Amino acid sequence: MSIESITLVRHGATEWADSGKHTSVTDVALTAEGRKDAQALWNHFVEQGHFDGVYSSPMLRAHHTAILAGFAVPELHRGLCEWRYGRYEGMTTAEIRQENPKWSVFRCGGPGGESPEAVSSRCEELLKEWNEKGHRHVLCFAHGHILRALAAHWLGLDLRFADHLHLDPGSISRLGWEHEVPALHLWNYCPQRPVFGPRPG
């Protein structure tokens, strides 16, 4: 595999994300705080090395984050869209668990949306495409659940492992290698917030 690193950026805050609503096909915008999240990324990336592939989900919240972070023309890729929740779109986890007490998107998917198997295949197609293009250092702006799924897939783990990966809005993570073994190099780093501090509000 030619890929040496994949840098993952979750989009900045939105009203739906702040309220815990599951957001996939609903094209919500960044809040003022979300725009600050995205702008704080610029100082981080201006000091980073070269990316030979820069991608974004076409959804406004991800694309706008990429632009505010200093990447005006990322390649928009539908493979980076959020996990489609189907009937659970716009619902919180608490509301969903009134119906299905043991629900997790990584184990159950969304009724009328995507299954874990479908999302795993989508992750595989992304990695295959980037590898075939000869990318060595990829940067992608996307959404919480698809990025957590992509990380689990990179590590060669069942998607259920992604339940253990917390990801904040406006965060940066990096996938790479430990010798020949896929590894996490960085996870959930938020340039706009103290490393050990809670998110404001």
Side-chain angles (χ1 to χ4, degrees):
M1 180 173 285
S2 64
I3 299 172
E4 294 183 17
S5 71
I6 304 175
T7 299
L8 315 174
V9 182
R10 185 184 174 192
H11 64 75
T14 68
E15 286 187 8
W16 276 35
D18 284 348
S19 62
K21 292 182 178 180
H22 286 81
T23 321
S24 57
V25 297
T26 307
D27 206 8
V28 298
L30 298 174
T31 60
E33 186 66 27
R35 291 191 292 274
K36 290 180 183 177
D37 290 343
Q39 289 165 344
L41 297 168
W42 189 89
N43 286 333
H44 175 83
F45 285 119
V46 77
E47 299 175 354
Q48 299 304 299
H50 173 69
F51 295 102
D52 53 17
V54 180
Y55 295 86
S56 172
S57 159
M59 305 306 286
L60 179 63
R61 56 197 183 273
H63 189 194
H64 196 188
T65 297
I67 292 170
L68 291 174
F71 299 90
V73 286
E75 182 174 335
L76 303 183
H77 199 307
R78 295 205 62 81
L80 288 169
C81 285
E82 181 59 297
W83 194 311
R84 293 195 300 275
Y85 303 119
R87 188 162 53 81
Y88 290 161
E89 180 80 6
M91 295 175 66
T92 65
T93 298
E95 290 169 338
I96 295 168
R97 286 182 175 168
Q98 290 178 9
E99 175 183 317
N100 183 353
K102 296 183 178 180
W103 181 80
S104 158
V105 73
F106 299 109
R107 288 183 281 108
C108 306
E114 286 184 288
S115 67
E117 293 76 19
V119 170
S120 184
S121 294
R122 185 146 60 96
C123 292
E124 180 64 27
E125 286 302 311
L126 280 170
L127 296 179
K128 180 181 178 182
E129 177 183 331
W130 294 338
N131 190 55
E132 289 177 348
K133 287 183 174 180
H135 289 325
R136 297 180 66 187
H137 301 285
V138 176
L139 171 63
C140 54
F141 295 83
H143 314 270
H145 282 140
I146 188 61
L147 291 178
R148 290 161 66 186
L150 184 59
H153 194 83
W154 173 264
L155 296 171
L157 300 173
D158 190 285
L159 247 57
R160 289 175 292 182
F161 175 76
D163 265 329
H164 302 282
L165 297 174
H166 175 79
L167 205 55
D168 285 314
S171 62
I172 301 169
S173 302
R174 185 170 296 115
L175 309 174
W177 299 88
E178 176 62 26
H179 301 294
E180 73 283 358
V181 178
L184 287 178
H185 284 200
L186 179 71
W187 192 258
N188 200 40
Y189 168 61
C190 299
Q192 72 279 33
R193 293 189 288 278
V195 175
F196 298 109
R199 181 178 175 82

